């Protein structure tokens, strides 16, 4: 999201396609998506760990303009922690881990997942978080145009009795020609 204009786009063609073209490359165990939106170039590398239930999404953003840009990157995941989201959503409870700042999700009522903790994290301490899907998408909203992308920060609202999700937003500045890497991590343990 461009924090000055409010325009936002996805580094992948979905859910919120940008104006420019996309290049997708796939290899053994990874996918790369490249896109340039105006003067902001992004490259998203997605892969999973070979020895753990962890997915990495590494976003490189480069400012190809001649001026400093204020941007943010937002990661989003919908928790299932069961067999079907409509059945399990009411039992998923989210919390922010006090040590790492990661977003945790648990479903104590699932026979298969009761002893597991799902987590979502990003490698920047300035993040804001939401565990509330209704806040993120908006009432009757869509992932193509979520309500959270009209705001400059997430609420840090987590807990029980929410429509659960995992959302993290990182604000950052890029000087002219500067590149930044942001790592989102999604997993289960």
């Amino acid at each position: 999201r461009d924090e000055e204009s409010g325009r936002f786009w996805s580094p992948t063609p979905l859910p919120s396609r940008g104006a420019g073209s996309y290049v997708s490359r796939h290899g053994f165990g990874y996918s790369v998506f490249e896109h340039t939106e105006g003067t902001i170039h992004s490259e998203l590398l997605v892969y999973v760990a070979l020895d753990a239930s962890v997915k990495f999404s590494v976003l490189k953003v480069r400012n190809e303009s001649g001026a400093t840009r204020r941007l943010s990157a937002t990661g989003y995941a919908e928790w299932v922690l069961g067999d079907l989201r409509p059945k399990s959503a009411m039992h998923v409870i989210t919390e922010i881990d006090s040590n790492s700042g990661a977003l945790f999700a648990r479903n104590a009522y699932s026979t298969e997942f009761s002893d597991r903790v799902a987590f979502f994290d990003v490698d920047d301490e300035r993040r804001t978080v939401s565990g509330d899907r209704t806040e993120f998408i908006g009432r009757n909203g869509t992932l193509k145009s979520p309500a959270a992308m009209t705001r400059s920060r997430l609420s840090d609202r987590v807990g029980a009795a929410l429509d659960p999700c995992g959302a993290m937003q990182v604000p950052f500045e890029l000087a002219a020609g500067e590149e930044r890497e942001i790592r989102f991590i999604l997993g289960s343990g």
Side-chain angles (χ1 to χ4, degrees):
R1 173 181 141 99
D2 182 323
E3 292 300 311
E4 292 167 9
S5 70
R7 285 193 60 232
F8 63 91
W9 61 93
S10 300
T12 57
L14 291 174
S16 187
R17 187 178 187 91
S21 61
Y22 287 81
V23 174
S24 302
R25 298 187 318 271
H26 307 284
F28 291 106
Y30 71 93
S31 293
V32 177
F33 304 91
E34 289 186 65
H35 175 68
T36 300
E37 186 72 19
T39 57
I40 303 298
H41 179 77
S42 65
E43 179 180 293
L44 177 64
L45 168 64
V46 180
Y47 63 97
V48 295
L50 294 175
D51 58 349
S53 299
V54 179
K55 174 184 173 181
F56 298 91
S57 299
V58 181
L59 179 65
K60 290 182 187 176
V61 182
R62 185 173 60 248
N63 179 2
E64 296 177 343
S65 75
T68 299
R69 302 288 296 274
R70 288 186 324 108
L71 306 168
S72 64
T74 304
Y76 176 81
E78 290 189 5
W79 305 117
V80 177
L81 303 178
D83 57 351
L84 298 170
R85 188 178 193 291
K87 282 180 19 182
S88 64
M90 71 179 117
H91 302 295
V92 175
I93 298 173
T94 56
E95 67 179 295
I96 299 172
D97 180 56
S98 59
N99 293 327
S100 67
L103 181 62
F104 286 173
R106 293 179 172 84
N107 180 354
Y109 293 96
S110 171
T111 55
E112 190 173 335
F113 296 96
S114 63
D115 61 341
R116 296 185 189 177
V117 176
F119 60 89
F120 189 44
D121 201 6
V122 66
D123 65 346
D124 192 308
E125 292 179 2
R126 294 173 298 159
R127 65 184 157 232
T128 57
V129 176
S130 178
D132 185 358
R133 184 174 177 267
T134 303
E135 171 203 346
F136 187 84
I137 294 176
R139 188 168 179 82
N140 301 318
T142 66
L143 286 176
K144 182 177 182 179
S145 185
M149 298 309 289
T150 64
R151 298 187 294 273
S152 60
R153 60 176 284 128
L154 300 174
S155 69
D156 291 333
R157 184 175 170 188
V158 295
L162 301 174
D163 185 3
C165 78
M168 293 198 154
Q169 186 175 64
V170 176
F172 59 97
E173 269 191 21
L174 286 180
E178 186 179 6
E179 182 174 273
R180 167 100 193 257
E181 189 173 278
I182 300 163
R183 292 177 208 88
F184 292 96
I185 303 166
L186 177 68
S188 174

